[in-house]
Amino acid sequence: LEYRTLRGMIYLAQEQYELGLRDLESVAKEKSVTTAQFDLALAEGYIGINDYNMARRFYELSMKKNGDGQQLDAARLARVESKLR
């Protein structure tokens, strides 16, 4: 799981959104709970493939978890928020 998570994050950083989402979605299916940062990465990936409904869903999940005390990467948060406006 860790390998696919890392690889998925790398793909997102390289703007290879389909590949990143493939890895991150497979990890999410195997984990019972994901982190705020993980959900925000999924939101960014969905923005990259122009699926704004899914992006908003995962953005909202990440913000709820952030409100519960989980940390978010400020740069990724700013990118996602700017695209969802």
Side-chain angles (χ1 to χ4, degrees):
L1 292 178
E2 289 177 23
Y3 172 76
R4 280 183 285 148
T5 300
L6 178 60
R7 187 174 65 183
M9 296 291 185
I10 290 169
Y11 282 141
L12 291 183
Q14 295 174 336
E15 299 181 2
Q16 296 182 36
Y17 300 111
E18 295 87 2
L19 294 172
L21 283 171
R22 184 189 65 205
D23 280 348
L24 296 179
E25 287 172 339
S26 73
V27 170
K29 287 177 185 173
E30 292 182 41
K31 295 177 100 176
S32 58
V33 177
T34 56
T35 65
Q37 186 63 31
F38 191 93
D39 292 344
L40 190 60
L42 282 169
E44 186 175 36
Y46 282 114
I47 288 168
I49 64 166
N50 296 315
D51 187 340
Y52 288 91
N53 289 329
M54 289 297 285
R56 281 187 187 86
R57 176 177 167 228
F58 282 102
Y59 168 76
E60 290 170 5
L61 282 172
S62 71
M63 294 309 291
K64 181 183 181 313
K65 292 174 184 178
N66 181 246
D68 293 339
Q70 293 186 32
Q71 298 297 310
L72 292 171
D73 177 88
R76 176 170 277 147
L77 179 60
R79 284 192 305 271
V80 168
E81 288 181 334
S82 73
K83 299 288 185 176
L84 290 178
R85 289 188 186 139

